[in-house]
Amino acid sequence: MARRVQNHVTDESDDETTGPAASANRPTLIVYNANITIGQQLVDQLRASAPDQSFDVLRQSTNRDGVAQLTEYLNDSSEPYATVYFLVHGADGVLELGATFLTAGNLGNFEEQVSQWQGALTRDADLLFFGCDVAQSERGQSVDVFLREATAFE
């Protein structure tokens, strides 16, 4: 089961504007697998680099489908995220989320779930992936292109 850790600062504004000023007030989500040994250290570094920013953390179980875990988490979120950091294991063309290995060959299997992420993200949200060699070649870049197209975000 995924572990949810929150360090939430409430945004009192009802402002629906987008852009850097609005995004700065939105929470950031950090997603990482339980098998990343320095995961919590990386989370702590991100928090230290932006002490005024609100962060939520999804530590994914490596025994469950990571796309499903993230989809469930985002469906339960109360406020849209402006940024999502993915701290993942990977290889060229392979992105590990929980027990799921996303590849160019199986991306279509997750299109419906990934498209649901749009509802939990701001219109100008950034999805940032940090993983070894994930987009090293054209095959790996297809994973990135799929995620951007399925979510309609950069």
Side-chain angles (χ1 to χ4, degrees), residues 38-110:
I38 62 168
Q40 188 57 52
Q41 179 182 351
L42 294 171
V43 167
D44 293 342
Q45 288 176 356
L46 283 169
R47 283 182 167 152
S49 72
D52 295 332
Q53 178 64 43
S54 172
F55 288 95
D56 291 346
V57 178
L58 172 60
R59 182 176 179 261
Q60 292 194 313
S61 167
T62 56
N63 297 319
R64 279 190 64 219
D65 175 347
V67 174
Q69 289 179 71
L70 180 56
T71 301
E72 291 165 10
Y73 185 94
L74 291 173
N75 285 340
D76 290 340
S77 66
S78 61
E79 191 172 359
Y81 293 101
T83 306
V84 181
Y85 289 100
F86 292 86
L87 311 176
V88 298
H89 285 303
D92 186 28
V94 180
L95 181 68
E96 182 182 350
L97 288 176
T100 305
F101 292 86
L102 293 175
T103 67
N106 70 4
L107 291 171
N109 299 339
F110 301 98

Side-chain angles (χ1 to χ4, degrees), residues 18-29:
T18 61
S23 295
N25 295 325
R26 300 288 186 200
T28 294
L29 177 61

